[in-house]
Amino acid sequence: MQSFDIVVVGAGPAGGHCARTLAKNGYRVLLAEQHSSFEINNFSSAATPLKTLELFNLPEQTIGNVWDKLTIVSSNARKTWTSPEPLGVVFDFAKLRQFLADEVTEAGSEVWMGYRYFKHYRENGETIAEFKRKGTTEPTRVKTKVLVDATGSARAVMYPQKRNRPSFSKATGIEYLIEVEPYCYRKLEQELVFFLGSKWMPQGYSWVFPMEGNRLKIGVARYYGKHAIAPVEDRFKNRINLITKNYLNLEDNYQLIDVHGSTLCYSMGLKDVYYRDNTIAIGDSVSTFNFLGGEGIRYAMLAGEVAARYIGQYVKGEIGEFDPYRKELRNYFLRRWQISERIAKKVYFEYDDRAIDRGVSYIGSMNLKDAFDILFEYKFEKATQGILPLLKRQWIAFLQSIRERFDLNQSKI
Ligand SMILES: Cc1cc2nc3c(=O)[nH]c(=O)nc-3n(C[C@H](O)[C@H](O)[C@H](O)COP(=O)(O)OP(=O)(O)OC[C@H]3O[C@@H](n4cnc5c(N)ncnc54)[C@H](O)[C@@H]3O)c2cc1C
């Protein structure tokens, strides 16, 4: 039986980055992934702000495209911001995870693709993890000092039995990767477009993101639950067709390359189990994605990096438990994520189109920096800071109009 310092289960952004960090620090790591290739579960739309590349030292080869334009469309409102500089990238999600896995191997550790974790137990004071390889009946066993749950929403290590899992808030996202004519692609080549409101995707949102080579990602996400005013349950496919036909003006002149998607499970108030003895959970397994926007790659990697620091200390015997990890992560996320939860509940389950249109118009009245900070940095205080100047502007305009009318009347007299 092989023995490792750390076994990381799941080679998503969280697991890949955690394993890569630990392997580079000289630990003997195993990164185990259930799928045999990253093309199989290539589910994420993978848009992220530019700084993610620098924060996690990611090379150009992981990028699908760069974006410098941002558009929000609701049922009756629309706003586009354009920047002279790139604002972010859309990762090639398969290439990103492949790169992280390659770094693990290059640092002298191991990556096992096609190995599905199914249980772990203690034997003679040691932790044994068991994996099943596709097509084999005999389990593969490994020994480890620390076991990492990086299985995303599955939380397969923390909750091996599905029936024992607590209930989560969920959203399902489905995405089509399509190839379009160059003239159509050029219009959206460097633009992220988000759609809100009942016209596009009630109880959720949809998007168009650019990839390389005339390809676009068209996605829809719907939150589980019932909208207070207008619950809609038609098929995801219809909502994607709506964008291809009504927004992109495409009929049959595109090619469907791939359909993928996944369901994200989120613990409201971040009540996940972060650790148990020498087992620690990272990334979506501890709800690091933002429930309002569904953005999670950089936060999964951040959790992987923070965990790597504590795991190193644990293996060296400097700490005896992972509670400091739990505290640090909750301290980083809790406040902003709870505000996001509250806004998500309003936007996806309570607001009608008028309220959503008003919200889009309000954010649309802001400059790019402030809008970006709210939409991608979750600095919601900027939204309230903007209300007073807006009210002031509206009030001055109102007084102005009265004065003009008064002056007009005076001159008539
Ligand atoms: C449709 C959609 C669009 C999205 N778009 C964006 C976006 O534009 N930008 C963004 O930042 N985020 C986006 N996200 C969210 C983002 O993809 C996730 O937050 C991120 O992938 C989480 O990383 P992770 O490593 O924690 O989990 P995951 O990426 O889910 O990785 C978990 C890995 O564990 C493996 N695994 C599971 N069970 C086992 C097992 N028993 N044994 C072995 N391996 C196992 C899985 O196969 C998987 O590879 C999107 C999500 C969805 C569903």
Side-chain angles (χ1 to χ4, degrees), residues 247-317:
Y247 191 80
L248 302 177
N249 297 321
L250 295 170
E251 285 301 330
D252 294 330
N253 47 341
Y254 68 90
Q255 198 191 337
L256 181 61
I257 307 293
D258 188 27
V259 178
H260 45 248
S262 185
T263 296
L264 295 173
C265 302
Y266 178 88
S267 167
M268 289 284 176
L270 306 186
K271 298 197 185 79
D272 285 293
V273 176
Y274 285 73
Y275 69 96
R276 250 186 230 124
D277 304 322
N278 62 339
T279 305
I280 178 169
I282 61 176
D284 279 2
S285 294
V286 285
S287 305
T288 49
F289 75 92
N290 183 278
F291 190 65
L292 175 62
E295 190 212 341
I297 291 175
R298 59 185 158 140
Y299 300 112
M301 294 180 77
L302 177 98
E305 190 159 313
V306 174
R309 181 160 28 92
Y310 287 103
I311 291 168
Q313 291 170 6
Y314 185 94
V315 171
K316 283 193 261 170

Side-chain angles (χ1 to χ4, degrees), residues 70 72 78-82 358-376 379-391 393:
L70 177 64
I72 309 183
R78 179 199 167 105
K79 171 71 187 181
T80 296
W81 294 267
T82 309
R358 264 205 308 270
V360 169
S361 304
Y362 176 57
I363 293 186
S365 70
M366 294 178 179
N367 62 36
L368 171 63
K369 165 97 180 65
D370 288 347
F372 190 90
D373 279 350
I374 293 171
L375 298 170
F376 288 93
K379 291 185 180 165
F380 300 112
E381 64 279 7
K382 290 234 168 170
T384 44
Q385 276 163 13
I387 281 176
L388 282 180
L390 180 76
L391 287 177
R393 277 203 303 277

Side-chain angles (χ1 to χ4, degrees), residues 9-15 32-35 41 43-48 93 97 115-118 131 150-154 156 173-175 207 209 261-264 282-285 288-289 294-298 300:
V9 184
E33 165 59 42
Q34 63 181 347
H35 294 295
N41 65 337
F43 67 87
S44 183
S45 321
T48 196
F93 194 52
R97 291 171 298 160
Y115 283 80
R116 184 177 171 78
Y117 160 94
F118 70 98
F131 293 87
T151 60
S153 286
I174 301 290
E175 192 177 70
W207 62 89
F209 293 174
S262 185
T263 296
L264 295 173
I282 61 176
D284 279 2
S285 294
T288 49
F289 75 92
E295 190 212 341
I297 291 175
R298 59 185 158 140

Side-chain angles (χ1 to χ4, degrees), residues 52-220:
T52 307
L53 297 179
E54 203 180 316
L55 274 175
F56 301 109
N57 205 8
L58 300 169
E60 216 178 311
Q61 76 199 62
T62 60
I63 300 173
N65 213 335
V66 175
W67 52 277
D68 56 17
K69 204 168 167 187
L70 177 64
T71 295
I72 309 183
V73 185
S74 64
S75 296
N76 302 293
R78 179 199 167 105
K79 171 71 187 181
T80 296
W81 294 267
T82 309
S83 160
E85 307 292 335
L87 291 168
V89 300
V90 180
F91 284 120
D92 182 318
F93 194 52
K95 285 186 187 161
L96 168 69
R97 291 171 298 160
Q98 186 65 60
F99 166 77
L100 297 173
D102 288 347
E103 291 238 306
V104 175
T105 336
E106 277 159 29
S109 279
E110 294 196 24
V111 178
W112 293 0
M113 298 298 289
Y115 283 80
R116 184 177 171 78
Y117 160 94
F118 70 98
K119 69 174 177 185
H120 72 276
Y121 48 88
R122 301 278 292 171
E123 198 175 80
N124 304 325
E126 292 185 298
T127 297
I128 316 286
E130 283 194 6
F131 293 87
K132 270 192 188 142
R133 196 179 182 182
K134 229 181 176 177
T136 59
T137 46
E138 275 303 296
T140 305
R141 297 187 178 89
V142 292
K143 273 187 209 163
T144 184
K145 293 174 187 156
V146 175
L147 183 61
V148 181
D149 189 342
T151 60
S153 286
R155 295 166 172 83
V157 179
M158 287 305 183
Y159 299 102
Q161 308 288 338
K162 272 197 178 150
R163 62 176 182 275
N164 293 339
R165 293 174 65 182
S167 67
F168 293 106
S169 299
K170 296 182 188 175
T172 293
I174 301 290
E175 192 177 70
Y176 283 24
L177 179 66
I178 63 168
E179 195 163 318
V180 296
E181 302 284 343
Y183 77 89
C184 171
Y185 180 71
R186 272 196 295 276
K187 284 189 270 178
L188 291 152
E189 200 173 6
Q190 300 203 324
E191 180 176 3
L192 296 193
V193 189
F194 291 95
F195 303 85
L196 282 167
S198 71
K199 177 174 169 187
W200 302 107
M201 187 62 192
Q203 231 171 280
Y205 58 95
S206 32
W207 62 89
V208 177
F209 293 174
M211 287 293 282
E212 76 268 74
N214 296 331
R215 290 182 176 186
L216 299 172
K217 289 173 166 179
I218 305 179
V220 291

